[in-house]
Amino acid sequence: MRRGKFIVIDGPDGCGKSTQAGLLEKYLRSKGYSVLVARDPGSTSISENIRKILLNPRYKEMTSLTEMFLYFASRVQLVEEVIRKALQDNKIVICDRFLSSTIVYQGYAGGIGANNVRRLWHLVRQIKADMPQAPTTGGFEPDLTIILDIRPEIGFSRIAPRRGGIDRMEQKTLLFHKKVRDGFIRLTRSNRKLYRLIDASDSIEEVQNKIREVVEKYVL
Ligand code: TMP
């Protein structure tokens, strides 16, 4: 049985979600909660290796469908190896990105279609539930996805000075990243119970305070 809580923080590149996830982790720990932070794609040996392929600027020819399957493969491993267990152990899981990113990056912006991505993910969960060695399917659905909204021009001005170069996804066109932002906004409008949109152009402290408010109200 799943008992913990599953929070996802997502948004366009440069929205500050990793910083905010770390601050939320500290805050929840200070309140006595047991917390696990993961990043998607990543946080398992297999998922980190898939991540390297996905973000390698050499693979310019990679199609949206290939991307989607690789993100799915990485995520399935993350759920199986890390998230499910943490939820069973009654932890609060904070995940830096999750399915919402595939819906937006590959679905809306990459041309696959948001509903096609959702349908395929649903199928993955069904297959998992049908497998005899898997009595539980818990871990696939976040309790809340917080989207940090930022214009791509501002997001990229934050990323560029911080790192040596930009990765394969970040190298996509400005138009692609505008679609990504639009996709995240649409996604939050599609289900106001599961998604919350927070303006990430404010200061780190202000954004963190809004995140805490939302988490306290809807998750704890
Ligand atoms: P990160 O920079 O937040 O670690 O994420 C890596 C990149 O992968 C980022 O540009 C967003 C992208 N991405 C997708 O395109 N689809 C997905 O499903 C996920 C999880 C990330």
Side-chain angles (χ1 to χ4, degrees):
M1 272 302 284
R2 170 178 161 173
R3 289 180 311 236
K5 297 285 182 189
F6 185 5
I7 303 165
V8 171
I9 303 186
D10 209 338
D13 292 84
C15 68
K17 64 197 164 34
S18 311
T19 307
Q20 295 296 342
L23 290 171
L24 182 63
E25 175 192 14
K26 268 196 195 156
Y27 174 69
L28 291 174
R29 280 193 205 281
S30 77
K31 294 196 85 180
Y33 291 100
S34 176
V35 185
L36 178 124
V37 178
R39 68 168 178 181
D40 178 19
S43 299
T44 77
S45 175
I46 293 170
S47 312
E48 288 291 340
N49 274 297
I50 296 174
R51 177 187 178 91
K52 282 191 194 134
I53 300 173
L54 276 161
L55 301 186
N56 189 336
R58 262 176 56 202
Y59 302 136
K60 293 213 173 9
E61 68 277 27
M62 193 184 292
T63 72
S64 296
L65 272 173
T66 309
E67 284 175 6
M68 181 186 68
F69 284 118
L70 289 177
Y71 281 114
F72 272 20
S74 165
R75 184 169 310 130
V76 166
Q77 193 65 32
L78 174 63
V79 170
E80 300 285 303
E81 227 185 285
V82 178
I83 294 180
R84 189 197 311 278
K85 168 92 173 53
L87 292 175
Q88 280 166 354
D89 292 345
N90 211 11
K91 293 190 177 163
I92 296 182
V93 174
I94 303 171
C95 196
D96 184 331
R97 299 197 187 277
F98 203 67
L99 176 65
S100 36
S101 272
T102 320
I103 292 173
V104 168
Y105 280 82
Q106 285 67 48
Y108 279 117
I112 291 173
N115 278 336
N116 286 332
V117 173
R118 283 196 184 94
R119 278 162 55 198
L120 209 80
W121 186 243
H122 185 68
L123 184 63
V124 168
R125 283 171 36 208
Q126 273 183 334
I127 292 169
K128 185 65 206 157
D130 287 345
M131 286 166 70
Q133 69 272 36
T136 160
T137 56
F140 283 97
E141 271 154 312
D143 295 291
L144 182 71
T145 298
I146 296 169
I147 307 290
L148 302 183
D149 179 42
I150 196 85
R151 283 173 44 223
E153 294 88 342
I154 299 177
F156 279 96
S157 71
R158 287 177 177 182
I159 292 171
R162 206 179 57 215
R163 302 192 202 142
I166 55 171
D167 66 41
R168 195 184 60 84
M169 293 303 294
E170 291 161 355
Q171 281 181 7
K172 293 187 187 259
T173 62
L174 181 61
L175 179 65
F176 178 90
H177 287 284
K178 283 186 170 165
K179 282 188 191 164
V180 165
R181 184 200 177 202
D182 186 51
F184 275 120
I185 293 171
R186 281 168 181 238
L187 186 63
T188 53
R189 288 194 187 132
S190 73
N191 189 332
R192 290 183 195 269
K193 229 180 110 197
L194 292 178
Y195 298 99
R196 276 283 175 289
L197 191 74
I198 288 178
D199 182 355
S201 56
D202 292 335
S203 73
I204 292 177
E205 292 73 26
E206 279 172 296
V207 174
Q208 179 62 204
N209 286 338
K210 286 187 208 156
I211 291 176
R212 288 178 189 175
E213 235 173 73
V214 166
V215 167
E216 267 165 6
K217 190 161 173 198
Y218 298 98
V219 185
L220 300 183

